[in-house]
Amino acid sequence: MRYSKLLTVFLCLILLTMNSTIVASTKEAIIKENNVNLRSGPGITYEKVGQVHKDETYAIRDQADGWVEIQLDRESGWVSSEFVSMEVDNVSAEAGASQSLILTVPIDKTHIRSGPSTENDIIHFASEGDEIQVMDEVDDWYKIKLNDIEGYIYKDLLKEKAKSDTEGLKGKTIVIDPGHGGNDSGAISASDALEKDITYKTAEILAQELTTLGANVILTRDQETFVSLSSRATVSNTMSADAFISLHYNSIPNIPNATGINTYYYHEQYEPLARYIQQEVIKETVDRDRGVGFGDFQVIRQNLMPGVLIELGFISNPEIDQLLATNAYQKKMVSGIVNGIQRYFAQ
Ligand SMILES: [Zn+2]
């Protein structure tokens, strides 16, 4: 008896919890005009089944082709989405704010993909100011419609980046990716130092400098751990990084006097970040300028945030190898990278 009472209480608790969850996630349609026709299907060719009026609120059952199916007392019907505004899930009820599920694309060349993952193809580039209709949500992605195009956009790409009134790096999230690590040593230098250790050293100095300037810095790995390339990009995506900087060193053991620095971008809109960093690093180090170019590297390809990969010099070159062991030269490279990032944020 006691047992079953407890069970009943327990079940009620579960039901209460379930119920409040459902209420919280219900999307509602608010009718914007008077005498809006209600139809039996999503289109004007469907039979008229009634009318709804300004400021009336209904639960949304479904959406299709620019039409919204709303729940009335007993039956449901379809209204054209231009006559309704929709309450978004995550808008707090206290604020009383209602918001239509039409979002404006904040930056040019925003990727629309065929599915909700970076593994899916880019099917369209949305332009700044494009108005897109959100049809559904799948994890961190919106299923959207833009004119005749249907696809998926990573949610964070639609967040208007707060125009920072603070100067430069304050409050910016920067992900630093020290290339290689763990079992993956990378290249080996003229003096047998490992690329993974030199990239880590540079990353530490860079992290310190950026932190001093007020940035929130995240390293993709610690000194000894192996981290997969895709997890490195994921860190950047999940943190909505303002910049992702992957650090590497080059090596051509057969040509020991090969020298120079180059920077890669993958997504064209982030070319300026690569260009500014390259220019500033060359200014500081006076190493040979090997330029900026497109590079098909996974850490920047799967990165949705502004990402670059820098080859900071040839460790197979004994002279450069020696320089890299000094703090003074490391600090020059780091100053160049910091100045480049600051120029990018200031543009
Ligand atoms: Zn490397």
Side-chain angles (χ1 to χ4, degrees), residues 281-300:
V281 171
I282 294 298
K283 225 187 265 178
E284 294 291 329
T285 59
V286 210
D287 198 357
R288 190 178 145 205
D289 185 357
R290 300 177 76 95
V292 165
F294 168 83
D296 190 5
F297 299 103
Q298 193 177 351
V299 286
I300 48 177

Side-chain angles (χ1 to χ4, degrees), residues 180 195 248-249:
H180 312 281
E195 183 187 349
H248 284 260
Y249 287 94

Side-chain angles (χ1 to χ4, degrees), residues 40-81:
S40 62
I44 50 165
T45 51
Y46 286 91
E47 191 193 347
K48 213 175 114 181
V49 292
Q51 282 194 328
V52 287
H53 305 279
K54 195 169 173 10
D55 296 332
E56 290 172 354
T57 302
Y58 299 97
I60 297 174
R61 290 191 50 173
D62 200 2
Q63 291 181 58
D65 305 325
W67 288 69
V68 182
E69 186 183 17
I70 57 174
Q71 181 66 51
L72 280 80
D73 286 346
R74 291 191 178 173
E75 68 274 81
S76 69
W78 294 79
V79 288
S80 170
S81 62

Side-chain angles (χ1 to χ4, degrees), residues 90-306:
N90 50 14
V91 173
S92 87
E94 286 153 19
S98 71
Q99 192 181 322
S100 153
L101 281 175
I102 303 285
L103 296 175
T104 306
V105 175
I107 51 164
D108 240 0
K109 294 179 185 142
T110 293
H111 300 163
I112 300 182
R113 293 180 185 264
S114 59
S117 136
T118 50
E119 304 284 324
N120 291 291
D121 290 338
I122 297 168
I123 51 170
H124 186 75
F125 292 97
S127 305
E128 184 182 342
D130 277 353
E131 295 206 325
I132 53 151
Q133 190 190 340
V134 176
M135 305 169 70
D136 203 356
E137 297 180 33
V138 185
D139 303 323
D140 293 331
W141 297 73
Y142 283 128
K143 185 178 185 198
I144 61 97
K145 198 168 170 182
L146 170 62
N147 303 324
D148 291 339
I149 300 145
E150 279 187 26
Y152 293 82
I153 294 184
Y154 190 68
K155 281 180 185 172
D156 277 354
L157 296 181
L158 292 172
K159 274 190 204 147
E160 190 85 53
K161 288 269 175 206
K163 297 258 186 293
S164 59
D165 37 11
T166 50
E167 281 296 299
L169 291 156
K170 210 168 239 169
K172 293 284 199 299
T173 300
I174 316 256
V175 174
I176 304 173
D177 174 41
H180 312 281
N183 302 329
D184 170 17
S185 305
I188 297 172
S189 87
S191 67
D192 290 338
L194 305 177
E195 183 187 349
K196 68 168 182 180
D197 294 327
I198 315 178
T199 59
Y200 193 78
K201 181 177 181 172
T202 312
E204 273 190 309
I205 301 172
L206 178 59
Q208 197 169 34
E209 189 65 31
L210 290 169
T211 308
T212 308
L213 292 166
N216 165 28
V217 178
I218 295 147
L219 263 65
T220 55
R221 66 167 172 99
D222 59 26
Q223 195 154 6
E224 271 316 312
T225 329
F226 172 79
V227 176
S228 75
L229 295 175
S230 74
S231 330
R232 295 175 196 234
T234 304
V235 169
S236 171
N237 294 340
T238 337
M239 298 306 298
S240 297
D242 294 291
F244 172 92
I245 315 287
S246 186
L247 306 172
H248 284 260
Y249 287 94
N250 242 324
S251 167
I252 315 181
N254 301 340
I255 313 174
N257 61 351
T259 192
I261 292 171
N262 54 330
T263 307
Y264 297 99
Y265 61 90
Y266 181 85
H267 302 294
E268 201 191 313
Q269 66 265 47
Y270 304 140
E271 185 270 342
L273 177 61
R275 185 159 29 94
Y276 296 148
I277 289 177
Q278 174 71 14
Q279 286 170 353
E280 297 299 323
V281 171
I282 294 298
K283 225 187 265 178
E284 294 291 329
T285 59
V286 210
D287 198 357
R288 190 178 145 205
D289 185 357
R290 300 177 76 95
V292 165
F294 168 83
D296 190 5
F297 299 103
Q298 193 177 351
V299 286
I300 48 177
R301 185 177 64 235
Q302 287 188 356
N303 215 307
L304 297 155
M305 305 302 149

